[in-house]
Amino acid sequence: MKQELNLNGKKVIGHVGRFNEQKNHFFLLKIFYEVYKQDNNCVLVLIGDGNLKPKIEKEVANLGIEKQVHFLGLRDNIPELLQGFDLFLFPSLYEGLPVTVVEAQASGLKIVTSSTVTKEVNITGLVTYVNLDTPETEWANTVISNLDYDRKNTLNNIKEGGYDIHENAKNLQNFYLNENNNVRN
């Protein structure tokens, strides 16, 4: 995937999410800017679209990091793209249970996320939580310290965490079949 994105030899920090206030892209850019100052071999890949995208693109230009930040827009091949990331960065202001963080873990990625994200999403032990009040320099240090690791197969963790689509489909089918039988009786 890195080859397809012309990012061979780069450390890829990625994010998937709508360009809106909740996802905190402006802070994400500040974090990445600090990461890049420490390691200019890092790039940021942003996947998604939304009303704040033009402002985010302008901020990238203001920071002078246009060559380091890649906007991929809306994509339907997220699992494949996650394989090209080295780390998933997710400093959201608030979240329920973000599916993208589960998907990132399913890809074996380490995740650095805000402490506003529910602890239940950490089903693999690969999630590091950072308080949003923490300065971007400390976020950057956390990102850099989590970039180099041996990716592991997390399939069993994902299944044990209740995120196996086949098992969930079977459970839903059984539930509705049982409910249907209860209604008839």
Side-chain angles (χ1 to χ4, degrees):
M1 187 48 63
K2 281 186 180 184
Q3 184 175 346
E4 187 176 312
L5 296 172
N6 295 319
L7 299 174
N8 276 343
K10 299 288 185 184
K11 294 177 187 169
V12 180
I13 298 164
H15 176 84
V16 178
R18 290 180 322 277
F19 285 86
N20 65 15
E21 290 294 328
Q22 173 188 349
K23 301 301 181 190
N24 208 8
H25 283 88
F26 288 105
F27 188 58
L28 187 147
L29 290 178
K30 289 179 182 179
I31 297 166
F32 175 74
Y33 184 69
E34 292 299 324
V35 168
Y36 180 71
K37 287 186 340 189
Q38 292 183 47
D39 184 347
N40 64 6
N41 195 39
C42 290
V43 295
L44 177 63
V45 172
L46 300 173
I47 301 172
D49 203 1
N51 62 329
L52 289 181
K53 187 176 179 185
K55 291 180 180 178
I56 300 300
E57 291 170 327
K58 185 175 181 183
E59 183 64 15
V60 166
N62 290 341
L63 292 169
I65 53 175
E66 302 98 316
K67 292 183 179 176
Q68 290 75 35
V69 179
H70 303 267
F71 292 88
L72 300 188
L74 293 174
R75 300 292 291 260
D76 61 3
N77 61 336
I78 301 300
E80 292 83 7
L81 290 165
L82 290 171
Q83 294 304 314
F85 292 1
D86 294 300
L87 183 129
F88 194 82
L89 182 57
F90 201 74
S92 285
L93 295 173
Y94 55 91
E95 288 289 337
L97 185 108
V99 174
T100 56
V101 173
V102 174
E103 288 177 318
Q105 289 176 87
S107 295
L109 281 171
K110 283 202 172 184
I111 295 102
V112 176
T113 189
S114 56
S115 57
T116 60
V117 171
T118 181
K119 304 300 182 253
E120 286 80 13
V121 80
N122 188 6
I123 54 180
T124 62
L126 294 172
V127 180
T128 300
Y129 295 92
V130 182
N131 193 301
L132 284 171
D133 295 333
T134 303
E136 56 266 13
T137 53
E138 290 183 41
W139 273 79
N141 291 338
T142 302
V143 167
I144 289 169
S145 69
N146 280 283
L147 272 173
D148 293 318
Y149 64 97
D150 291 327
R151 223 171 187 165
K152 297 176 183 157
N153 184 331
T154 58
L155 180 62
N156 288 333
N157 300 90
I158 300 300
K159 285 182 177 183
E160 290 168 9
Y163 294 96
D164 181 322
I165 193 167
H166 301 291
E167 193 62 34
N168 285 327
K170 191 183 329 175
N171 290 340
L172 278 173
Q173 180 181 17
N174 289 336
F175 173 80
Y176 285 113
L177 288 173
N178 288 334
E179 285 297 309
N180 192 30
N181 287 335
N182 290 336
V183 170
R184 288 183 194 171
N185 296 332

